[in-house]
Amino acid sequence: MRAHRWRTGLVAVAAGLAMLVAPLVRSVPATASTAGFGQASAIRGADGSYALSWASTATAVTVTAGTSPAGGGDGVAVGSGAGTGTLTVPAGTLPATTRWYFTLTPNSGSPLVVADRSLGLPDATNFRDVGGYRTSDGHWVRMGVAYRSNKLSGLSVAEQQVLVDQHVTLDVDLRNGKERSDDPDRIPAATTYRVADVEDLSHGIDFHDGAVLTLLTALALGLLEGTGNMGQRIAYPFMVDFGGADRAYRTLLTGIAANPQATVFHCSSGKDRTGWGAAVLLTLLGVPRATVEADYLASNDYLGRADAVELSWLRAAFDEVDALYGNFDGYLHDGLGLSDATVDALRARFLA
């Protein structure tokens, strides 16, 4: 592995220093078509209306709205449509509540629950559901199980109640000590708070490969591919190479796996350390890379900044995974130290 890593790094450095050429062209994997729902979404409008859309192999779909991510139970019928269709739920149709989940029930096959990804928290605008995505093998990532966010230090009492209503019982903080001290989380009293510092040095400074080599490779590829922020382009591979980051993401994933209720994880802006954590979780669950990248880029919209994140940064982290471990499964087990039982528990918890 070490020899392979050195060859890869040296080739990248040589290429980056020798040629400043056009960015590399990367292919986007296609999503295979399988039975059931191939697409589904619920988007809440500014006026409180909902725009639903779906595509399925069924001939008809009925839609009910409820307050539970499990669907059913308290469902209120809001309409129906063809196997592939759309439905608008006008503002005022449903009474005000923290969050509405919509159960799409086909006339053949299993139902699917979707909701608007954002919880609409004014003081945590990047607080959003990790679920609602389709995997490569046709499963769906359940909503209401895990959320990603920016810092939670400004949550009002009403916003904290939203976390209670969504059964968020675990808060995993990926920030460093100074960030935690300057802006401590404001969360419900019953929510467990856990630190998973991605920059933690308490166990020493350890890298899976030479820090200098990681730095030079990231710099060379940043020059070769182009980036609007070289510092970020360099930082992402270190979230894979640094032992402290491994411990943090292991704490995050094992915590989510063990929590029977919902979990939120966050850093300061909810885009870099949190962005990689979400990318790792979604990839572990079998979500296609193109969808993982779209979720990552959505921080630009939620934060209202076109340059909040850049796709080349995320791809640099995935490239580091391949360079160090050969594949993503190697990263999960040899890098993060996850057991098969933890991986299986996460998949059982999330996949519908």
Side-chain angles (χ1 to χ4, degrees):
M1 181 182 299
R2 173 76 61 168
H4 168 71
R5 181 65 174 83
W6 269 98
R7 288 196 299 271
T8 302
L10 290 175
V11 169
V13 171
L17 297 178
M19 301 187 308
L20 296 179
V21 297
L24 294 175
V25 177
R26 296 174 183 264
S27 60
V28 178
T31 302
S33 175
T34 60
F37 286 94
Q39 176 274 326
S41 66
I43 300 175
R44 187 179 189 275
D47 63 350
S49 63
Y50 289 89
L52 310 179
S53 68
W54 62 86
S56 76
T57 56
T59 58
V61 172
T62 58
V63 184
T64 56
T67 57
S68 170
D74 58 353
V76 177
V78 293
S80 61
T84 295
T86 62
L87 176 68
T88 298
V89 182
T93 302
L94 299 169
T97 189
T98 300
R99 192 185 195 194
W100 284 104
Y101 294 88
F102 297 91
T103 301
L104 311 178
T105 304
N107 63 335
S108 62
S110 301
L112 175 66
V113 179
V114 296
D116 187 283
R117 192 157 280 112
S118 173
L119 293 190
L121 303 182
D123 295 303
T125 59
N126 209 5
F127 194 118
R128 50 193 167 103
D129 205 311
V130 176
Y133 295 120
R134 187 174 184 268
T135 67
S136 297
D137 62 358
H139 289 284
W140 283 81
V141 179
R142 291 188 179 96
M143 305 196 81
V145 178
Y147 300 89
R148 51 175 297 176
S149 182
N150 47 335
K151 62 184 180 181
L152 304 179
S153 57
L155 293 186
S156 66
V157 173
E159 289 171 324
Q160 292 180 53
Q161 184 59 44
V162 172
L163 271 64
V164 174
D165 293 343
Q166 295 306 302
H167 307 288
V168 176
T169 59
L170 176 63
D171 167 24
V172 182
D173 192 341
L174 303 175
R175 298 177 300 167
N176 63 38
K178 186 176 189 308
E179 292 169 309
R180 301 195 303 271
S181 176
D182 290 347
D183 296 298
D185 283 6
R186 296 183 63 189
I187 56 176
T191 300
T192 299
Y193 176 74
R194 185 170 301 163
V195 172
D197 185 349
V198 175
E199 301 171 11
D200 179 37
L201 302 177
S202 63
H203 296 274
I205 303 175
D206 58 310
F207 297 92
H208 296 292
D209 212 342
V212 173
L213 177 58
T214 301
L215 174 63
L216 289 176
T217 301
L219 177 61
L221 288 176
L223 291 171
L224 180 65
E225 297 178 340
T227 178
N229 187 320
M230 185 61 79
Q232 290 287 67
R233 178 62 178 76
I234 291 172
Y236 272 66
F238 281 100
M239 288 194 286
V240 177
D241 195 20
F242 178 49
D246 285 344
R247 289 184 285 274
Y249 290 118
R250 180 169 62 250
T251 296
L252 169 63
L253 294 170
T254 55
I256 294 174
N259 183 22
Q261 300 294 322
T263 300
V264 59
F265 59 98
H266 73 94
C267 52
S268 289
S269 296
K271 65 186 185 69
D272 300 311
R273 289 163 290 187
T274 299
W276 179 240
V280 170
L281 175 58
L282 291 173
T283 302
L284 180 156
L285 296 174
V287 174
R289 180 67 59 84
T291 305
V292 172
E293 291 180 345
D295 179 78
Y296 171 78
L297 288 174
S299 283
N300 290 339
D301 296 324
Y302 286 102
L303 294 172
R305 292 168 44 198
D307 62 348
V309 292
E310 184 179 298
L311 195 52
S312 69
W313 307 343
L314 180 67
R315 288 175 173 173
F318 276 115
D319 287 345
E320 188 73 2
V321 165
D322 292 338
L324 284 176
Y325 300 103
N327 55 50
F328 188 77
D329 188 66
Y331 171 62
L332 292 179
H333 292 91
D334 300 331
L336 300 186
L338 297 183
S339 66
D340 288 336
T342 296
V343 173
D344 291 343
L346 286 167
R347 290 172 177 159
R349 181 88 173 86
F350 279 93
L351 297 182

